[in-house]
Amino acid sequence: MPTIRDVAKMAGVSVATVSRVINQSGYVNTKTRAKVLHAMKHLNYKPSTVARGLAGKKMHFIALILPDISNPFFSELARAVEDVAQQHDFTVFLCNSDNDDNKEANYIEVLKKKNVDGLIISSNTFNEKDIESFRDDKIPVVILDRSIINEGYSIVRSKNREGARLAVHHLLEHGCRKIAHISGPQKTDTGRERLYGYEDVVKLFSWYDPTLIEEGQFQIEGSDIALQNLLRRHPDIDGIFAGNDLMALGVLKELRKQGLRVPTDIAVCGFDGIMLTKLTQPTITTVAQPIYQMGAKAAKMLVQKIRGEQTGSQLFEFEVKLIEGESTQRNHCKNS
Amino acid sequence: MPTIRDVAKMAGVSVATVSRVINQSGYVNTKTRAKVLHAMKHLNYKPSTVARGLAGKKMHFIALILPDISNPFFSELARAVEDVAQQHDFTVFLCNSDNDDNKEANYIEVLKKKNVDGLIISSNTFNEKDIESFRDDKIPVVILDRSIINEGYSIVRSKNREGARLAVHHLLEHGCRKIAHISGPQKTDTGRERLYGYEDVVKLFSWYDPTLIEEGQFQIEGSDIALQNLLRRHPDIDGIFAGNDLMALGVLKELRKQGLRVPTDIAVCGFDGIMLTKLTQPTITTVAQPIYQMGAKAAKMLVQKIRGEQTGSQLFEFEVKLIEGESTQRNHCKNS
DNA sequence: ATAGGAAATGTAATCGATTACAAATGAGCA
DNA sequence: TGCTCATTTGTAATCGATTACATTTCCTAT
């Protein structure tokens, strides 16, 4: 690997001049520039990012901390982040936290040692102290898919509570008269927000009862048990609002096993809008978030912050949209 | 951020001594070590990976190049790679290539500038020259899910051709008498291997005809068109072997649209064994690769190579396994 | 004619580590 | 006693860039 000194020697100039050419800074004579460029090309010279980093320049990488890349919601988010990062010449560190505080803390430390330029965190449970340590070092942070105290960090999220209300209203409009909720983990913001949205609507009805709520883990696994518990307590449920699409999928699977028809016996609505909802039979009605756009927006904000083009904390809240699938297409008779 | 000099000053020793403590190299008096460790703790000192990198040490990051992280096959692979990397204190760069030569070449360049310690590439179309440039720089490379000339790089893959034969045999055993294939892109190794496997079996039958093959893109999108073309040419198809699960999913969707029943009218078999195949109605029969293990194995091999514990090129080929779903459970009458 | 400043280039310090080499100390042994 | 060698520590060069500062040349306006 040739170094800047090799280039300087070959072009017959000093390293400072080569550096000026590379960085397009200071004055360089046109002819000199040509000589340098020629030498660089000839030697196939590539400036070492590591050396530049040590000399105070950006390393041009950002980190993305998320619970689990194999979850389709996050893999789409990651895809968006990576696309935008790539467009701006940043590389992305992939960090799976599994919502585990220790893993996360460990990552934070490693990332600081590696001079990461910025951080996007969409992990559900993070230690705010860890994040604060980034702010102390003036490393920009964007928080994705979380509602945290709005101090110092920028946030990108969507309207979870409103979306949950949308879902429940939709179920009501399609004739459901007893709607249960399988919530996300209550230690997560999104899990809580969606539960609140559900409660906003159902608490007005006489049939409502807190035992209509079961907590899930935002995963397929476990949603079957949650459903069983609900059905045991309330065999007359005719609508289920699942806290996310993966759980809706699990519910669909379990309902089938129980011999219950969707949507005839029970209607199901999910949340997120992952592609999967369109592939099942029946397709799943869901409250869609603009997943890709959210990831892209977060990445754009981060890049701007890194460049110093934007400072302070911003909140960016995306609209959600109910996408009607077959899982709620039942007769409206009961409703009318 | 404190530096090694701050630590040295506080402990009343030289930077060399501090470095010795950090790296557990050379001689350090027990008492001195204690002083240094205390100073490090007190200052919350974290050695800069960048500075160490410049001084010739490993940066402790590896890159993972894959076509598209939002594809469930690759997101599971990525998950495995990241898990293993994390266990060995490596961070993972996520690189989506979209099977685009330019993007890939661009990444290769960036990665070299950033002193990446090793590379796992599971992209379908890579320029061998680019990869060779890594070998020239003695940067270990592991190739995942590809059959390339076995020179200088280690390879992890599964038995694609055999798996394809398995799939077709299974369809035959379940009464199919005219089996079509929607192949993966023929510019990819896996796409080709699976096609060969299909041909191995079907070419023995009188009904076989090359027009029973349509090329897909390993994605849901496009598999509907491929299926339409096949059905137009051969309305009497009663079995379809899709080159991967995503295409099988698309086929299922399109068959439903066309009013054809699965498996009664047409049986469907996929390849890969992604979780999705278990969630559809009917569930999809598939030839499962041990996706997670493959990713984990690749990562382990890479780490060993980076540590110099393993040199030379190795080939690791995983077994595949047919997982029977509902999409091929038809009466065996025709077969008997 | 000349001061002032733009243009062009080079020298050397710097970033934060590692490490070769030197030097000092002390113990063991002939 | 004097020599060898393990132990302990420090000095300074090095990795490959950036950049503050110095220097030189040359153009221009007064």
Side-chain angles (χ1 to χ4, degrees):
Chain A
M1 269 275 165
T3 73
I4 196 171
R5 261 164 264 271
D6 299 323
V7 175
K9 194 169 294 172
M10 177 166 189
V13 298
S14 73
V15 293
T17 302
V18 177
S19 179
R20 285 188 197 103
V21 172
I22 296 169
N23 297 289
Q24 313 200 46
S25 63
Y27 293 111
V28 181
N29 185 289
T30 315
K31 272 181 120 171
T32 312
R33 163 172 292 114
K35 272 193 299 181
V36 171
L37 288 173
H38 176 264
M40 296 201 323
K41 191 130 296 178
H42 192 261
L43 294 169
N44 190 27
Y45 166 74
K46 301 190 196 322
S48 154
T49 308
V50 176
R52 309 182 84 187
L54 185 55
K57 292 285 188 175
K58 303 251 169 280
M59 293 293 289
H60 276 259
F61 42 60
I62 63 177
L64 174 62
I65 301 186
L66 37 72
D68 178 13
I69 189 70
S70 64
N71 175 323
F73 175 76
F74 291 109
S75 65
E76 183 158 354
L77 221 47
R79 176 69 218 228
V81 168
E82 206 270 336
D83 280 355
V84 172
Q86 195 178 164
Q87 282 161 27
H88 294 86
D89 278 318
F90 280 83
T91 332
V92 176
F93 279 138
L94 174 63
C95 313
N96 291 115
S97 74
D98 281 320
N99 285 328
D100 172 339
D101 282 356
N102 288 333
K103 271 196 179 181
E104 208 157 279
N106 187 43
Y107 257 125
I108 301 273
E109 194 176 319
V110 170
L111 294 172
K112 291 182 104 175
K113 289 204 281 196
K114 294 195 178 171
N115 276 27
V116 78
D117 297 319
L119 173 65
I120 296 178
I121 183 159
S122 67
S123 203
N124 285 311
T125 62
F126 64 75
N127 191 327
E128 306 207 0
K129 255 189 200 155
D130 290 335
I131 299 299
E132 266 169 39
S133 77
F134 272 87
R135 188 172 39 187
D136 295 344
D137 293 345
K138 313 254 182 263
I139 299 171
V141 174
V142 172
I143 293 171
L144 189 49
D145 195 34
R146 277 209 73 194
S147 59
I148 195 190
I149 29 65
N150 188 359
E151 273 187 59
Y153 332 103
S154 286
I155 303 177
V156 174
R157 66 172 179 234
S158 68
K159 299 189 174 171
N160 287 294
R161 189 161 182 167
E162 190 183 313
R165 286 193 221 117
L166 233 54
V168 181
H169 274 134
H170 177 82
L171 287 167
L172 287 170
E173 279 166 18
H174 285 71
C176 297
R177 41 176 51 171
K178 190 157 185 185
I179 301 168
H181 178 44
I182 299 182
S183 78
Q186 289 304 296
K187 66 174 180 175
T188 68
D189 287 317
T190 44
R192 281 197 303 274
E193 288 289 318
R194 292 173 195 177
L195 172 61
Y196 297 155
Y198 164 77
E199 287 176 335
D200 288 347
V201 180
V202 296
K203 69 176 175 215
L204 308 169
F205 291 87
S206 56
W207 51 258
Y208 173 63
D209 180 318
T211 62
L212 280 167
I213 299 168
E214 268 281 321
E215 183 170 333
Q217 292 307 311
F218 274 156
Q219 293 183 326
I220 293 177
E221 298 77 38
S223 52
D224 47 354
I225 307 287
L227 177 63
Q228 287 163 18
N229 292 341
L230 285 172
L231 286 174
R232 196 175 320 114
R233 290 201 294 264
H234 301 280
D236 56 337
I237 292 170
D238 59 0
I240 293 177
F241 167 46
N244 76 349
D245 287 337
L246 285 183
M247 296 196 299
L249 228 66
V251 163
L252 219 64
K253 189 95 184 150
E254 181 62 21
L255 284 173
R256 195 178 299 144
K257 198 187 277 178
Q258 304 264 339
L260 290 165
R261 290 160 301 171
V262 176
T264 323
D265 298 324
I266 298 194
V268 175
C269 182
F271 202 113
D272 277 353
I274 61 180
M275 208 223 319
L276 270 171
T277 55
K278 300 197 179 98
L279 297 173
T280 52
Q281 165 85 313
T283 56
I284 301 174
T285 298
T286 185
V287 179
Q289 309 184 64
I291 308 178
Y292 189 94
Q293 280 117 292
M294 286 168 69
K297 180 70 186 176
K300 270 178 214 151
M301 282 172 73
L302 187 65
V303 168
Q304 287 181 333
K305 276 167 177 274
I306 291 171
R307 294 204 182 128
E309 295 166 10
Q310 187 206 98
T311 52
S313 56
Q314 302 214 340
L315 171 63
F316 208 96
E317 211 168 33
F318 279 88
E319 298 293 330
V320 294
K321 193 172 140 194
L322 194 128
I323 308 269
E324 207 166 333
E326 295 155 1
S327 68
T328 52
Q329 279 181 10
R330 52 204 331 242
N331 298 337
H332 291 218
C333 54
K334 292 184 190 176
N335 190 41
S336 57
Chain B
M1 269 276 167
T3 74
I4 196 173
R5 261 165 262 272
D6 299 323
V7 175
K9 194 169 293 170
M10 179 167 187
V13 298
S14 74
V15 294
T17 301
V18 177
S19 180
R20 285 189 197 101
V21 172
I22 296 170
N23 297 289
Q24 313 200 46
S25 64
Y27 293 110
V28 181
N29 184 288
T30 315
K31 270 182 120 171
T32 313
R33 163 173 291 112
K35 272 194 299 182
V36 170
L37 288 174
H38 177 263
M40 296 200 322
K41 192 130 297 180
H42 191 263
L43 293 169
N44 189 29
Y45 166 75
K46 302 190 194 321
S48 154
T49 307
V50 176
R52 310 183 83 187
L54 184 56
K57 294 284 187 178
K58 303 251 170 277
M59 293 294 288
H60 277 256
F61 43 60
I62 63 177
L64 174 63
I65 302 187
L66 38 72
D68 179 11
I69 188 71
S70 64
N71 175 323
F73 175 78
F74 291 108
S75 64
E76 183 158 353
L77 222 48
R79 177 67 219 229
V81 168
E82 206 269 336
D83 279 354
V84 173
Q86 196 178 163
Q87 282 160 28
H88 294 87
D89 277 320
F90 280 83
T91 333
V92 177
F93 278 139
L94 173 63
C95 311
N96 292 115
S97 74
D98 281 320
N99 285 328
D100 172 338
D101 282 356
N102 288 332
K103 271 196 179 179
E104 208 158 279
N106 187 44
Y107 258 125
I108 301 274
E109 194 176 318
V110 169
L111 294 173
K112 293 183 101 175
K113 290 204 282 196
K114 294 193 178 172
N115 275 27
V116 78
D117 297 318
L119 174 64
I120 295 178
I121 182 159
S122 67
S123 202
N124 284 310
T125 62
F126 66 72
N127 192 328
E128 306 206 0
K129 255 190 200 154
D130 291 335
I131 299 300
E132 267 169 38
S133 76
F134 273 87
R135 188 170 41 186
D136 296 344
D137 292 345
K138 311 251 181 271
I139 299 171
V141 175
V142 172
I143 294 172
L144 187 49
D145 194 34
R146 277 210 73 192
S147 59
I148 197 190
I149 29 66
N150 188 359
E151 274 186 59
Y153 333 103
S154 287
I155 302 177
V156 174
R157 66 171 177 235
S158 67
K159 300 190 172 169
N160 287 295
R161 190 160 180 167
E162 189 183 315
R165 285 193 222 115
L166 235 55
V168 181
H169 275 133
H170 177 83
L171 287 167
L172 287 169
E173 280 166 18
H174 285 71
C176 297
R177 40 175 50 171
K178 191 157 184 184
I179 301 168
H181 178 44
I182 299 182
S183 78
Q186 289 304 295
K187 66 173 179 176
T188 68
D189 288 317
T190 45
R192 280 196 305 274
E193 288 290 319
R194 293 173 194 176
L195 172 61
Y196 296 155
Y198 163 77
E199 287 175 336
D200 287 346
V201 180
V202 296
K203 68 177 174 213
L204 308 169
F205 291 89
S206 58
W207 50 257
Y208 174 63
D209 181 317
T211 60
L212 281 167
I213 299 166
E214 268 281 320
E215 182 170 333
Q217 293 307 310
F218 274 156
Q219 293 182 326
I220 294 177
E221 298 77 38
S223 53
D224 48 352
I225 307 287
L227 176 64
Q228 287 164 17
N229 293 341
L230 285 172
L231 286 175
R232 197 176 320 113
R233 291 202 293 266
H234 301 280
D236 56 339
I237 292 169
D238 59 1
I240 293 177
F241 167 46
N244 75 350
D245 288 336
L246 285 183
M247 296 196 301
L249 229 68
V251 164
L252 219 65
K253 188 96 186 151
E254 181 64 20
L255 283 173
R256 196 178 298 145
K257 200 188 274 177
Q258 304 264 339
L260 291 163
R261 289 160 303 170
V262 176
T264 321
D265 298 325
I266 298 193
V268 174
C269 182
F271 202 114
D272 277 353
I274 60 179
M275 206 224 320
L276 268 172
T277 55
K278 301 198 179 96
L279 298 173
T280 52
Q281 165 87 312
T283 56
I284 301 174
T285 298
T286 186
V287 179
Q289 310 184 64
I291 308 178
Y292 190 93
Q293 280 116 291
M294 289 169 68
K297 179 72 187 174
K300 271 177 213 149
M301 283 173 73
L302 187 66
V303 168
Q304 286 181 335
K305 276 168 175 274
I306 291 171
R307 293 204 182 127
E309 295 165 9
Q310 187 206 100
T311 52
S313 56
Q314 303 213 340
L315 171 62
F316 207 96
E317 210 167 34
F318 278 89
E319 298 293 330
V320 295
K321 192 174 142 195
L322 194 129
I323 308 269
E324 206 166 334
E326 294 155 1
S327 68
T328 54
Q329 279 181 9
R330 53 205 329 244
N331 298 338
H332 290 217
C333 53
K334 292 183 189 174
N335 190 40
S336 57

